[in-house]
């Protein structure tokens, strides 16, 4: 029994150890359908629904658990999140061939057990351009893995090399789940962690260095995100033209600014909240509710301007990380505002084989 237990522990340790490299596959585009139509789902979650996505109260989080939400920071300022439903609409996938298992009949020895399929990848350089950053202006980009010491470090020079087209990410459940990096051989500092917990981009600020325990800035160890502090997490993110504008967090709402809704719950003016956070709504044309990483309901400015929202507690009528919009109590995990009416070919499309 002791031998079996020791063997199990060794297998677990090897499985958890980060890879230095994995086989690289060229991210050459292959023929695929375009992202031309929206697929409306009926989910009410904000992630994959896996155990990793289970809610953990902030006061019980420690270490890398604080990085549950994969935020993107530029010089210490959060600008977005690496979640499928929150990707910039101008960011298009690169489709990569991969093998897909086939359930073959048990009595068929000659039947194939796999077929060719495609998986969506997103190039980091394409993502940077989509959020308005020229990759060659970057001093360093840090793609943090399960630990600070598992961070991929690449320079602007690295991003200009031909193999940078292979520096990308995909999602563990096609269009849901955690983002996973794909790193070409001999790229950056050569590390290749098995998931992403944060992305830090340095343009004007000096990138941190690393010691055996984590980040160091000006000789001082840093806890959390350099130049920011505790990782941003939770709340309902609001984007304006694909840029993170603000976050609704229940604990930050001023009860004095609330009014009683028809069911007696406290509610706040959406436009009033945005104004209090310095968000310019004067050019907004439409807004989309994102739920379960999918764009669902669309509202014109006329409806948004008079709309209120409730922020129920996690034990209340809605799941965690959501607000209820308007009289219909539309569940929103993310709200995306746009200053132009989106066309069909601008909206992300989810293929049927990605909805498993």
């Amino acid at each position: 029994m002791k031998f079996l237990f020791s063997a199990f522990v060794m297998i677990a340790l090897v499985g958890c150890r980060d890879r230095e490299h994995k086989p690289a596959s060229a991210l050459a585009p292959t023929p695929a359908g375009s992202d031309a139509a929206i697929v409306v789902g009926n989910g009410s979650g904000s992630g994959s629904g896996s155990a990793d996505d289970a809610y953990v109260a902030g006061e019980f989080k420690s270490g890398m658990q604080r990085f549950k939400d994969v935020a993107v920071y530029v010089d210490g300022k959060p600008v977005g999140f690496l979640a499928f439903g929150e990707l910039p609409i101008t960011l298009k996938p690169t489709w990569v061939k991969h093998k897909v298992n086939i359930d073959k009949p048990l009595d068929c020895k000659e039947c194939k057990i796999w077929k060719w399929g495609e998986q969506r990848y997103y190039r980091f350089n394409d993502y940077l351009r989509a959020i308005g950053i020229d990759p060659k202006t970057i001093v360093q980009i840090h793609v943090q893995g399960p630990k600070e010491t598992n961070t991929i470090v690449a320079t602007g020079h690295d991003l200009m090399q031909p193999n940078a087209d292979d520096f990308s990410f995909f999602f563990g459940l096609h269009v849901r789940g955690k983002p996973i990096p794909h790193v070409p051989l001999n790229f950056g500092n050569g590390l290749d962690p098995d998931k992403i917990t944060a992305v830090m981009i340095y343009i004007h600020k000096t990138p941190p260095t690393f010691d055996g325990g984590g980040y160091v800035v000006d000789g001082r160890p840093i806890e959390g995100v350099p130049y920011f502090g505790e990782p941003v997490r939770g709340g309902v993110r609001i984007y304006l033209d694909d840029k993170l504008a603000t976050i609704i967090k229940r604990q930050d709402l001023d009860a004095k600014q609330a009014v009683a809704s028809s069911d007696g719950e406290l509610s706040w003016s959406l436009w009033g909240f945005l104004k209090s956070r310095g968000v310019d709504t004067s050019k907004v044309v439409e807004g989309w509710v994102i739920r379960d990483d999918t764009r669902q309901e669309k509202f014109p400015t006329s409806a948004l301007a008079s709309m209120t929202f409730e922020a129920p507690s996690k034990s209340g009528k809605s799941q965690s990380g959501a607000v209820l919009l308007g009289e219909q109590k539309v569940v929103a995990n993310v709200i995306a505002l746009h200053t132009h009416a989106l066309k069909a070919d601008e909206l992300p499309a989810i293929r049927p084989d990605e909805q498993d």
Side-chain angles (χ1 to χ4, degrees):
M1 290 296 291
K2 288 184 177 179
F3 173 78
L4 291 175
F5 177 77
S6 299
F8 176 79
V9 171
M10 289 299 295
I11 291 171
L13 288 174
V14 171
C16 292
R17 192 174 66 187
D18 291 297
R19 304 159 296 170
E20 289 231 345
H21 290 294
K22 58 188 171 186
S25 61
L27 297 186
T30 56
S34 63
D35 279 7
I38 187 169
V39 176
V40 177
N42 58 5
S44 59
S46 59
S48 65
S50 66
D52 188 47
D53 288 329
Y55 170 73
V56 179
E59 60 266 30
F60 298 115
K61 292 188 177 184
S62 62
M64 296 307 291
Q65 287 182 321
R66 298 173 298 164
F67 289 91
K68 177 178 179 291
D69 294 338
V70 184
V72 179
Y73 304 83
V74 177
D75 288 330
K77 178 183 177 181
V79 298
F81 289 79
L82 280 195
F84 177 76
E86 298 176 60
L87 295 178
I89 58 172
T90 56
L91 178 64
K92 302 304 180 185
T94 296
W95 294 95
V96 179
K97 278 189 174 182
H98 72 134
K99 291 182 178 181
V100 179
N101 292 331
I102 299 175
D103 292 330
K104 72 168 187 175
L106 294 176
D107 58 351
C108 180
K109 295 182 179 180
E110 297 181 357
C111 293
K112 288 185 177 181
I113 61 173
W114 64 271
K115 65 178 180 179
W116 284 112
E118 290 182 325
Q119 184 166 354
R120 63 173 73 222
Y121 281 62
Y122 294 95
R123 292 170 172 155
F124 273 104
N125 275 347
D126 290 344
Y127 177 81
L128 293 169
R129 294 186 181 100
I131 61 174
I133 297 175
D134 185 344
K136 65 174 177 286
T137 66
I138 291 174
V139 177
Q140 286 185 5
I141 178 172
H142 294 179
V143 179
Q144 182 178 271
K147 298 182 293 185
E148 289 96 335
T149 50
N150 302 130
T151 296
I152 304 163
V153 178
T155 65
H157 177 73
D158 293 327
L159 295 175
M160 292 297 98
Q161 302 308 303
N163 65 345
D165 280 348
D166 271 0
F167 182 38
S168 57
F169 63 91
F170 61 97
F171 295 99
L173 297 174
H174 299 294
V175 292
R176 288 170 181 77
K178 292 288 188 182
I180 300 170
H182 176 89
V183 186
L185 290 171
N186 304 316
F187 182 82
N189 63 347
L191 294 182
D192 190 4
D194 58 7
K195 69 176 179 179
I196 300 172
T197 55
V199 177
M200 293 89 155
I201 300 161
Y202 300 98
I203 300 174
H204 302 295
K205 292 188 180 294
T206 302
T209 55
F210 298 85
D211 65 8
Y215 299 113
V216 176
V217 175
D218 294 331
R220 295 182 297 106
I222 298 296
E223 284 288 329
V225 179
Y227 304 109
F228 183 76
E230 280 297 300
V232 60
R233 63 176 182 265
V236 173
R237 273 92 73 165
I238 300 180
Y239 290 82
L240 177 58
D241 286 337
D242 291 332
K243 295 180 176 61
L244 183 65
T246 189
I247 301 176
I248 300 175
K249 290 195 173 185
R250 179 181 173 83
Q251 65 268 28
D252 296 335
L253 293 171
D254 185 355
K256 295 179 181 178
Q257 302 297 321
V259 296
S261 59
S262 58
D263 58 1
E265 296 287 339
L266 291 181
S267 63
W268 289 262
S269 162
L270 178 61
W271 246 224
F273 171 80
L274 293 173
K275 182 179 179 180
S276 72
R277 296 304 178 93
V279 180
D280 182 7
T281 59
S282 62
K283 297 181 180 179
V284 172
V285 171
E286 66 184 26
W288 287 81
V289 167
I290 297 173
R291 187 171 57 252
D292 195 25
D293 273 326
T294 304
R295 287 182 181 243
Q296 310 244 358
E297 295 85 5
K298 179 177 70 172
F299 295 98
T301 302
S302 57
L304 294 170
S306 60
M307 187 171 287
T308 60
F309 67 89
E310 296 178 15
S313 65
K314 295 178 177 67
S315 59
K317 68 184 80 173
S318 176
Q319 60 170 22
S320 64
V323 295
L324 306 180
L325 293 174
E327 292 294 327
Q328 295 180 333
K329 315 287 189 216
V330 176
V331 178
N333 299 124
V334 179
I335 300 172
L337 305 175
H338 296 278
T339 57
H340 76 281
L342 300 187
K343 298 178 180 178
D345 60 0
E346 294 181 87
L347 296 170
I350 299 175
R351 294 177 170 184
D353 61 350
E354 295 181 301
Q355 300 182 64
D356 297 335

